[in-house]
Amino acid sequence: MAFWRRFLQRDEGEGLAACTALDVGTEFAKALVFEIEPSGQGVVRGVGRKRQGLAHMQSGTVADIAAVVDNCSVALQEAEEMAGFRPSQVVIGIAGELVKGFTTSHSQERKRPDTPITDAELQRLIDGVQREALRDAERAITWETGLPNVDVRLVHAAVTGASIDGYAVTNPVGFQGRHVNISIFNAFAPLVHLGALQSVASQLDLELLAIVAEPYAVARVLGGEQVQKAGALFIDVGGGTTDVALVRQGGIEGTRMFALGGRAFTKSLADRLDLPFSRAEQVKIDYSRGLPVDDARTVEGVLSEDTAVWAAGVELVLEELAGGDLLPGRVYVCGGGSRLAHLVKALRDERFAKRLPFSRPPEVTIMEPGEIEAIVDTTKLLVDQQDVTPLGLAYQAIEMSSQEQPLDAALRRVLRAMKV
Ligand SMILES: Nc1ncnc2c1ncn2[C@@H]1O[C@H](COP(=O)(O)OP(=O)(O)OP(=O)(O)O)[C@@H](O)[C@H]1O
Ligand SMILES: [Mg+2]
């Protein structure tokens, strides 16, 4: 696991001056070249995009490494030429149905509450959380693939909260108390899937700084205290998948993905109108922009039918994520697929909210690159919700390069010992 090794051995406090973010999407490979100022502000200097072929990706995962490398290198080159330099490190996003992201909380009752918590005790606690999480992920992936021994790897881990006797702390070491609680977000993926992204990075001659779960990146990017505290749902509708993240009680609780995105709408149009894929794509985009298209009635019918299927998928995922508790009152939407107005309309429909545990109909907002305060775009080419996911990946590089929290350092030590 070369990249983990590199990530784990990162010198504490070592800054990162420039980096590339690569979003290997089902529909588009997207690259951003950006700088990180000493203040922690990100500055995008170059962007590039290349459409992927129909057989290059399968629901958010790489299906043809060589073809994907070619597409990424076109996107990268465009971004690098615009920026005028080439960073040596890259952050890559991982998505797809078999990426399992969830937060595991572990509480422990201490036998001697009057003694302060030590580093070793904290590490034992984190170790317990991580082992439990790995078992859960293996169970979930084994069950879904129907294969008994899928090699599952940890791709991403972050501490999302800690408390002692209900009192929130950023670092439990040194505190006294009886009940310690730690929450850690982990994303796991099958090795084959992770390995494909590692190959892409190495064939592009880039050093892999980290692989980041895309819904996690999207859910973090708005950053505002208020969003994180009040909770929110984040929905990224891509070409091949829809990724959902739930932020509740100050931290990411879980992420879910299902294999339905904008491409499915295009395929239905292609079938019904008997058009090649690229023509059907144009019809969809024209129609969604309000331009005149042939046979508009049929187009509307197909898009509405597919929207109903998509909304049912979102409903299922949200029900599962809610886990019997209330869902937050805010929904943030991004991804190119959500440029089809039908989707946002479906989320705003009262009947949709009624079927789910919302206390009131949620406020549905389309995310804009301009709202991301931590990153400025000097290229002026990042204009809409389709560019939010790559910006989220860039933001993860910034978060990682900033001063590390003591809890994350402890987590890193445990992971090193677990050799995951
Ligand atoms: N104006 C538009 N109207 C409707 N759909 C659009 C529009 N612009 C882009 N799309 C759709 O957005 C989708 C691509 O979005 P995006 O770039 O976010 O996907 P991706 O990241 O490549 O895929 P994934 O996240 O599923 O791996 C395509 O299906 C495309 O048809
Ligand atoms: Mg995407």
Side-chain angles (χ1 to χ4, degrees):
M1 300 294 295
F3 92 87
W4 253 133
R5 218 172 298 130
R6 155 86 206 157
F7 182 53
L8 295 176
Q9 285 168 357
R10 186 166 63 108
D11 294 334
E12 329 253 317
E14 176 194 344
L16 187 69
C19 189
T20 297
L22 191 59
D23 175 4
V24 190
T26 312
E27 197 69 37
F28 291 98
K30 307 182 193 78
L32 294 187
V33 167
F34 59 98
E35 287 175 319
I36 306 173
E37 292 179 343
S39 63
Q41 179 78 40
V43 183
V44 178
R45 298 285 181 200
V47 302
R49 218 191 244 193
K50 174 79 175 84
R51 188 179 279 273
Q52 305 230 60
L54 285 176
H56 297 168
M57 298 284 291
Q58 187 61 49
S59 315
T61 65
V62 177
D64 179 342
I65 294 180
V68 168
V69 168
D70 286 346
N71 298 335
C72 290
S73 86
V74 172
L76 266 177
Q77 208 170 347
E78 197 179 319
E80 288 163 358
E81 272 169 17
M82 199 181 294
F85 61 92
R86 178 174 215 265
S88 58
Q89 291 178 318
V90 67
V91 171
I92 297 194
I94 190 165
E97 276 187 299
L98 291 177
V99 177
K100 299 292 161 202
F102 53 91
T103 292
T104 307
S105 289
H106 209 83
S107 288
Q108 188 155 309
E109 187 170 341
R110 304 177 67 228
K111 286 198 191 75
R112 299 188 47 202
D114 49 341
T115 57
I117 296 173
T118 62
D119 278 316
E121 193 179 344
L122 175 66
Q123 291 202 24
R124 274 199 301 279
L125 188 63
I126 293 178
D127 189 79
V129 177
Q130 290 306 84
R131 285 179 200 282
E132 183 184 324
L134 181 61
R135 274 195 303 275
D136 287 351
E138 276 171 342
R139 210 174 303 134
I141 295 180
T142 303
W143 186 77
E144 278 184 37
T145 55
L147 299 169
N149 287 312
V150 179
D151 204 346
V152 172
R153 291 297 159 90
L154 179 65
V155 288
H156 181 174
V159 177
T160 54
S163 67
I164 302 168
D165 294 339
Y167 176 85
V169 293
T170 48
N171 181 8
V173 171
F175 282 97
Q176 297 165 307
R178 188 177 292 278
H179 302 275
V180 206
N181 182 292
I182 294 261
S183 305
I184 301 177
F185 172 85
N186 286 296
F188 296 90
L191 174 63
V192 48
H193 187 150
L194 184 64
L197 292 177
Q198 288 173 318
S199 306
V200 169
S202 87
Q203 290 183 33
L204 290 168
D205 241 340
L206 288 168
E207 188 186 325
L208 194 46
L209 181 69
I211 288 190
V212 174
E214 286 190 351
Y216 180 89
V218 167
R220 294 284 302 172
V221 77
L222 286 184
E225 274 279 292
Q226 194 216 345
V227 174
Q228 303 292 331
K229 278 230 171 70
L233 285 160
F234 292 84
I235 305 181
D236 176 353
V237 193
T241 61
T242 296
D243 305 346
V244 182
L246 167 65
V247 173
R248 208 159 48 177
Q249 279 150 11
I252 297 192
E253 262 191 44
T255 61
R256 293 282 187 287
M257 323 201 190
F258 61 98
L260 197 60
R263 224 178 227 192
F265 292 74
T266 308
K267 279 203 180 119
S268 298
L269 283 176
D271 286 348
R272 194 74 71 81
L273 302 174
D274 203 14
L275 291 173
F277 185 86
S278 56
R279 276 282 303 131
E281 175 78 4
Q282 199 53 51
V283 169
K284 179 179 84 172
I285 290 177
D286 286 350
Y287 185 77
S288 105
R289 288 191 177 139
L291 300 173
V293 296
D294 292 342
D295 214 351
R297 178 103 54 84
T298 313
V299 171
E300 173 60 35
V302 169
L303 296 179
S304 302
E305 270 169 38
D306 279 5
T307 301
V309 176
W310 177 82
V314 177
E315 197 182 314
L316 213 66
V317 161
L318 291 190
E319 209 170 270
E320 204 183 307
L321 276 174
D325 289 324
L326 277 184
L327 287 169
R330 259 169 229 275
V331 179
Y332 291 96
V333 184
C334 69
S338 69
R339 291 173 72 183
L340 190 68
H342 293 62
L343 303 193
V344 172
K345 205 168 136 222
L347 297 177
R348 288 189 174 136
D349 192 317
E350 264 177 34
R351 284 165 297 179
F352 177 77
K354 278 224 178 84
R355 289 192 289 264
L356 287 162
F358 284 110
S359 56
R360 58 191 155 81
E363 198 179 299
V364 182
T365 314
I366 296 169
M367 297 169 86
E368 305 281 347
E371 290 165 351
I372 299 168
E373 286 164 12
I375 306 176
V376 290
D377 167 32
T378 58
T379 71
K380 305 262 184 290
L381 291 170
L382 305 177
V383 290
D384 66 30
Q385 67 257 49
Q386 197 165 4
D387 302 308
V388 167
T389 319
L391 280 167
L393 298 177
Y395 182 63
Q396 283 305 299
I398 297 172
E399 267 204 327
M400 268 180 248
S401 74
S402 67
Q403 201 65 38
E404 187 169 53
Q405 297 292 321
L407 267 176
D408 283 317
L411 171 62
R412 205 179 291 275
R413 282 196 291 277
V414 170
L415 293 175
R416 217 178 285 169
M418 279 174 77
K419 296 202 177 61
V420 280

